Amino acid sequence: MPLRYLTAGESHGPALTAILEGMPAGLPLDESLIAVDLARRQTGAGSGDRMAIEKDYAQLLAGVMEGVTTGAPITLQIVNKDHANWKGKAVPAYTTPRPGHADLVSAVKYGYDDVRPSLERASARETAVRVAVGAVCRAFLGTFGIRVGGYVSSLGDVSARLDGLPFSDRISRARGSEAQCPDPDAAAQMAKAIEKAKAAGETLGGVIEVVATGVPVGLGSHVNWDRRLDARIGMAILSMNAIKGVEIGDAFANTRRPGTQAHDAILPGENGDITRRGNACGGVEGGISNGQPLWVRAAMKPIPTTRKGQDTIDLATGQPSLTYYERSDVCPVPRAVIVLEAIFCHVLADALVEKLGGDSIKEMRQRFDLLRRATLEDLRMTGQPHVFWP
Ligand code: EPS
C-alpha cells in the first residue's frame, strides 16, 4: 500500500488526527477544499445532536508548504468541540454493552472496567478524519480526471427507483436531497421513515452506492489476493462502522443469471476501440479495473445505539438490564455517503500511486497520459501456438 494512513483520537477526546503517507509532491491542497467534504458529513436526514455541537474543520499540520504537497507525510487534525464539555468532568459509568457495538467484545478483549474506552474509539466520530483523508485523495484523483460520488439507494424498507438514470445524474440529484437519494419520491418516503423511527426510539439502516468514473484500465492485479482491486475495495468499505456487506457491480443479481447473461460482452467500438455491453462486473475483472465506472454497494445496518432499550447485562451488577442511551444518529445512512466516498477515494488513489509510481504529480502525469484504453491494434496477437513449458 504505497499510500497509507492511520488515524488516532477518541470521540470526546481533544482531537482526531490522521497521518497520510505516500501522497506525491506537487498537489495543490488547502484546508477549504477539505472543509467542503467535512460539511457534507455533518448534514443529512437522521443525524444526531452531536452535529449541532461540532463544526468539523481539518487543519493541515504537515506535508504541505505554500499550499502544495511536498511528498512528506500529511498530518490532518480535527479538534473535537465537544471535548470542552467532557474535560475534567466525572462521567457516569457505562456498563450496559449495546448488542452489535464493540462494547462487550472489547471489554472481554482489553479487560476494561467501563465500556467507554472502546466506545470512544469505536464511535463513528472517527469517520470525520477519514473524510479529511478522503478529501486529499479526491483532490489527487481529480488531477487525473477521476471523479467519485455516491448516493443512497435504499433506506429501511424504502427503495429508490434508479433504473436508466446515469450515474452523474444520480450523484447530482442526491446532493440536493436531505436523504442523499436521487429519487425524489423515495427521498420523501425515507425522510418520513426516519421520523417514524425517531419517534419509536429506533434506528434505520440502508444501502449506499459509490461510483468512480474516469478510472483507467489497470488498477489492481490478478497476480495475488491482496493486489486484487475488488478485494481492496471490499476490505476498505467493510472497515467503515456499521457496514456489514459489500457488493461490486451486480454481484448478487448475477447469482440468479446464467453465465452468458452475467458478464459484459466485449464488442468492437469506434476507431478500433473496444466497448462493453453493460457493467455487471462493476468495473473490475480479474481484480483489475477495466475502464468502466467502478460501482460498489454497501449495506449499512441500523446502528446499535437506540433510544429504545435493548436486552443486555449490566456488567456492574451481573443482572439483566436494558441498554443505556446517551445520544446518537437515528439513521446515519445519508451522512455515510461522504464517508464511503472518502474511503473509496483512498483505495483508488492508493492503486493509482501503485500503478504510476513516481514521487511527484508531474512525473505521474506523464505516465498517466500513456495509460489509455488499449485499441484492437495495440492488442493484436500473432495467433501462433506457444510452448509455454519447454
Ligand atoms: C458521531 C459522533 C458520536 C455519535 C455517532 C457519530 O457522537 P456522540 O457519541 O457524542 O453523540 O453521535 O456515533 C455513533 C453513531 C456510534 O455508534 O458511535 C459523528 O461525529 O459522526
Side-chain angles (χ1 to χ4, degrees):
M1 190 186 279
L3 182 65
R4 59 190 181 139
Y5 71 97
L6 284 177
T7 74
E10 280 76 38
S11 179
H12 304 99
L16 300 161
T17 307
I19 296 179
L20 173 66
E21 189 206 67
M23 183 55 71
L27 176 71
L29 205 58
D30 71 73
E31 292 170 359
S32 62
L33 193 102
I34 301 168
V36 174
D37 281 5
L38 285 173
R40 277 183 61 200
R41 205 196 72 94
Q42 288 210 256
T43 53
S47 56
D49 296 341
R50 176 75 183 268
M51 290 302 98
I53 300 170
E54 302 296 339
K55 179 129 187 38
D56 291 335
Y57 187 83
Q59 285 177 283
L60 279 166
L61 298 181
V64 178
M65 292 167 77
E66 295 187 307
V68 180
T69 58
T70 62
I74 295 170
T75 303
L76 294 149
Q77 183 172 281
I78 299 173
V79 169
N80 287 321
K81 285 203 171 15
D82 201 26
H83 177 64
N85 301 322
W86 289 66
K87 194 170 160 55
K89 283 189 189 151
V91 282
Y94 200 136
T95 55
T96 53
R98 294 159 291 178
H101 218 287
D103 301 346
L104 177 62
V105 281
S106 63
V108 174
K109 182 174 167 69
Y110 291 95
Y112 296 139
D113 174 46
D114 186 310
V115 300
R116 285 195 196 273
S118 68
L119 76 83
E120 281 288 335
R121 180 62 187 155
S123 167
R125 175 81 194 131
E126 187 252 5
T127 61
V129 80
R130 294 186 78 178
V131 167
V133 168
V136 176
C137 295
R138 189 195 296 276
F140 168 72
L141 294 172
T143 64
F144 298 98
I146 301 170
R147 310 257 174 259
V148 171
Y151 50 88
V152 173
S153 60
S154 76
L155 190 151
D157 61 5
V158 183
S159 295
R161 279 203 295 222
L162 302 173
D163 282 351
L165 196 61
F167 286 131
S168 54
D169 291 348
R170 295 181 188 195
I171 291 161
S172 60
R173 288 187 195 185
R175 284 308 77 80
S177 143
E178 273 274 289
Q180 294 289 297
C181 175
D183 171 353
D185 293 339
Q189 287 177 54
M190 287 172 184
K192 278 189 196 148
I194 291 171
E195 285 311 311
K196 208 171 143 195
K198 186 176 183 179
E202 280 290 359
T203 55
L204 281 182
V207 176
I208 295 157
E209 301 189 5
V210 279
V211 182
T213 55
V215 179
V217 180
L219 303 192
S221 175
H222 64 288
V223 303
N224 241 320
W225 65 273
D226 58 344
R227 294 184 181 278
R228 290 179 173 269
L229 188 62
D230 35 11
R232 290 155 69 171
I233 291 169
M235 178 183 170
I237 298 282
L238 287 170
S239 75
M240 153 110 194
N241 317 52
I243 301 293
K244 300 297 277 184
V246 187
E247 180 181 20
I248 297 188
D250 276 345
F252 287 95
N254 270 347
T255 63
R256 295 184 292 273
R257 297 173 181 153
T260 54
Q261 307 297 309
H263 300 287
D264 310 313
I266 300 169
L267 305 168
E270 287 168 15
N271 306 320
D273 208 352
I274 296 170
T275 65
R276 310 301 296 268
R277 191 190 297 133
N279 189 15
C281 68
V284 193
E285 289 173 304
I288 303 174
S289 63
N290 70 357
Q292 298 232 72
L294 274 168
W295 177 32
V296 179
R297 288 191 191 88
M300 187 176 214
K301 69 175 180 178
I303 57 169
T305 316
T306 51
R307 190 163 53 74
K308 186 172 164 185
Q310 297 176 65
D311 288 332
T312 187
I313 296 170
D314 187 334
L315 299 177
T317 63
Q319 296 301 310
S321 168
L322 289 178
T323 48
Y324 168 67
Y325 179 76
E326 265 165 6
R327 70 174 170 218
S328 189
D329 297 40
V330 172
C331 177
V333 175
R335 295 177 56 218
V337 173
I338 180 65
V339 182
L340 289 174
E341 285 181 29
I343 288 171
F344 203 35
C345 281
H346 170 257
V347 177
L348 296 180
D350 176 48
L352 190 63
V353 173
E354 178 186 84
K355 172 69 189 162
L356 297 177
D359 299 306
S360 70
I361 299 284
K362 197 174 161 194
E363 219 177 338
M364 294 177 86
R365 165 137 315 281
Q366 289 168 359
R367 288 176 52 81
F368 187 82
D369 291 342
L370 296 174
L371 273 185
R372 59 194 166 88
R373 279 167 195 260
T375 63
L376 284 172
E377 192 52 40
D378 297 326
L379 289 169
R380 183 63 55 85
M381 297 178 180
T382 61
Q384 295 302 310
H386 296 269
V387 183
F388 285 118
W389 293 280

